[in-house]
Amino acid sequence: MPYAIVILGIGVFCLNTTEIMVAGLLPSLSSEFDVSVSTVGYLISVYAMGMVVGGPVLTVALLRVPRKKALLWLLATFVAGQVLGAAAQDFWVLVAARVITALAASAFFGIAVAVCAQLVDKDQRGRALSVLFGGLMVAQVVGLPAATLIDQHFGWRASFWAVGALAALNALAVWRRVPTTPMPERIRLRGEISAFRNARLWGVYGTNALVIGAIMAANSYFSPIFTEISGFGSGAVPWLFAVFGAGTIVGNVVTGRLADRYMLPLLVYGFAVVTLVLVVFALVAHHRALTVAAVAVLGLTGLPLSPVMGARVIRVSNDGPLVNTVNASAINVGVVVGPWAGGLAISLGLGLRSPLWIGAAMAATGLLAMVPTALAARRARSARRGGPVPPIGPERAGAEDAGAAAARTEGTGGAAAEDHRAPSQGDGARMQP
């Protein structure tokens, strides 16, 4: 695996740590700016919405910029946003800083995925994305606790400065170690946008948003569930979050190694397990041991599906930055909607278990959306066992059954059952020596 992908993963770690660290800084920020904790909580929503709306726009603006240069510009913008936030004397200045860093983060994510796809062979893309997405997992386990610890000892501004400094070092590493990838001969906005005419791509986006939203609907209310239903003391809560976080790291390693060959089975069985675990968790949340087991399994099988879902986006469409940035936007829609739906259910008096039921319903909907693709793959495997099936070109594949045609032509455990790919202007480009 190219070391450059590890460097990009560290960049993702910085960007995601900034997104989530406000959760650990709520009391300090509330006291500093004399606003309520709930008002400070909007900083998380502002960041997510900045990624949803602004990231694709900024990516479009950078389409004709060489990808390595775009990554450097985005990291510089992110660092500037962190500096502005660290120096903020007014709450709305901090809000503006969050918007700036969110724009840079979303576009960086999409371009980084595109660069990863260019740096490895097609049958290694899932594994490469697991390294990149590993930054998200490590941010949950290391980034958030570290930012909270720095706040407790040196103040919240030090947390902003620390992440900004690490991002600046990461920019230096990108400049030194990430190779320059060749630009496509022609880059046309119309060509990039044409990928979004693929209805299957929007189905993948929707499924990704549902499943990530399901996990976040539950995860956002773990703390009160642990203390008020499971009966754990407040001192046990960080350890339970650590169990969840450690599970995401282990699961990410496993799914990354399997994603390229077993993409479809991983998603189908993964979505099914997430649904089942959330249902069981809702039923047994009053048992401590079963709660720990449910949290561990959810960590192993929930967020670690992210690189598999990202690889699926590339297979269904292309490896361009705009397609992948919009995927990040779709995921952040789930990040916003899941916790909102869980909070709404609690406010309506449905109890603290209701976010778990909502998460289960969202995951089950994502699983149902996979059924047509899974059935197409199964028919294709049956056809192969019955005798050789001549290959079908992409145009005819799209007219007949994109999923089945792709499964017939590639036949890797159902993993390729998606591949009705839109043409990519940079697809297949390799790095310069």
Side-chain angles (χ1 to χ4, degrees):
M1 190 62 58
Y3 186 63
I5 296 177
V6 176
I7 292 174
L8 294 176
I10 294 172
V12 170
F13 166 80
C14 295
L15 275 52
N16 191 244
T17 296
T18 288
E19 179 177 9
I20 64 177
M21 74 179 186
V22 169
L25 310 180
L26 288 176
S28 298
L29 293 171
S30 175
S31 175
E32 174 76 21
F33 295 106
D34 193 24
V35 296
S36 67
V37 169
S38 61
T39 300
V40 176
Y42 289 140
L43 292 173
I44 300 174
S45 300
V46 165
Y47 195 99
M49 292 308 299
M51 293 189 70
V52 170
V53 178
V57 175
L58 186 55
T59 301
V60 168
L62 294 172
L63 281 177
R64 291 181 173 84
V65 178
R67 289 175 181 174
K68 179 176 179 177
K69 183 181 290 186
L71 291 172
L72 292 172
W73 284 3
L74 291 168
L75 284 172
T77 302
F78 176 83
V79 171
Q82 284 295 104
V83 170
L84 180 63
Q89 300 298 321
D90 180 83
F91 181 73
W92 292 106
V93 174
L94 183 58
V95 170
R98 294 284 289 177
V99 172
I100 292 171
T101 52
L103 294 176
S106 182
F108 180 93
F109 185 87
I111 295 174
V113 170
V115 170
C116 285
Q118 286 185 288
L119 293 179
V120 297
D121 294 331
K122 289 184 178 181
D123 60 357
Q124 291 291 311
R125 284 176 172 174
R127 188 171 181 180
L129 291 184
S130 74
V131 175
L132 185 70
F133 280 81
L136 301 177
M137 318 301 170
V138 177
Q140 299 282 339
V141 181
V142 178
L144 176 57
T148 305
L149 188 64
I150 292 172
D151 168 45
Q152 292 172 351
H153 289 83
F154 305 102
W156 68 270
R157 296 181 190 275
S159 298
F160 274 74
W161 285 114
V163 177
L166 182 59
L169 291 174
N170 184 250
L172 179 62
V174 169
W175 175 63
R176 293 290 303 272
R177 300 298 299 270
V178 174
T180 299
T181 53
M183 292 289 290
E185 294 182 3
R186 289 183 175 182
I187 298 180
R188 294 179 179 176
L189 180 58
R190 181 181 298 177
E192 291 289 325
I193 292 178
S194 66
F196 297 103
R197 297 173 184 169
N198 182 355
R200 293 174 63 80
L201 176 61
W202 289 103
V204 173
Y205 286 156
T207 302
N208 293 357
L210 280 168
V211 174
I212 296 299
I215 298 162
M216 295 308 299
N219 177 269
S220 299
Y221 300 96
F222 272 179
S223 185
I225 291 172
F226 293 154
T227 57
E228 298 184 34
I229 297 180
S230 303
F232 288 101
S234 58
V237 172
W239 294 103
L240 291 168
F241 274 108
V243 169
F244 178 82
T248 65
I249 293 176
V250 174
N252 185 65
V253 173
V254 174
T255 57
R257 292 183 176 275
L258 300 176
D260 294 295
R261 188 171 183 182
Y262 302 107
M263 179 181 296
L264 185 57
L266 275 175
L267 291 174
V268 172
Y269 292 120
F271 293 175
V273 170
V274 169
T275 303
L276 180 61
V277 169
L278 288 172
V279 169
V280 171
F281 192 2
L283 294 173
V284 304
H286 54 286
H287 291 288
R288 292 187 183 182
L290 294 178
T291 292
V292 173
V295 169
V297 176
L298 188 62
L300 283 167
T301 58
L303 292 178
L305 293 173
S306 298
V308 190
M309 292 188 287
R312 185 186 178 207
V313 168
I314 294 176
R315 283 199 173 185
V316 169
S317 183
N318 62 59
D319 61 5
L322 186 56
V323 164
N324 290 290
T325 299
V326 174
N327 183 47
S329 297
I331 287 173
N332 274 277
V333 169
V335 170
V336 172
V337 172
W340 171 81
L344 179 62
I346 292 173
S347 68
L348 292 175
L350 299 179
L352 287 173
R353 298 174 195 255
S354 57
L356 301 176
W357 289 113
I358 288 173
M362 295 176 70
T365 305
L367 176 61
L368 288 174
M370 293 291 298
V371 170
T373 299
L375 292 177
R378 185 174 182 179
R379 288 195 300 268
R381 287 195 297 270
S382 298
R384 285 202 306 274
R385 294 190 190 102
V389 178
I392 297 179
E395 295 81 6
R396 186 179 172 191
E400 293 186 17
D401 184 341
R408 285 196 295 266
T409 55
E410 297 194 21
T412 52
E418 300 292 338
D419 298 353
H420 183 211
R421 295 169 54 87
S424 169
Q425 295 168 352
D427 197 21
R430 307 299 299 167
M431 65 180 181
Q432 293 178 351

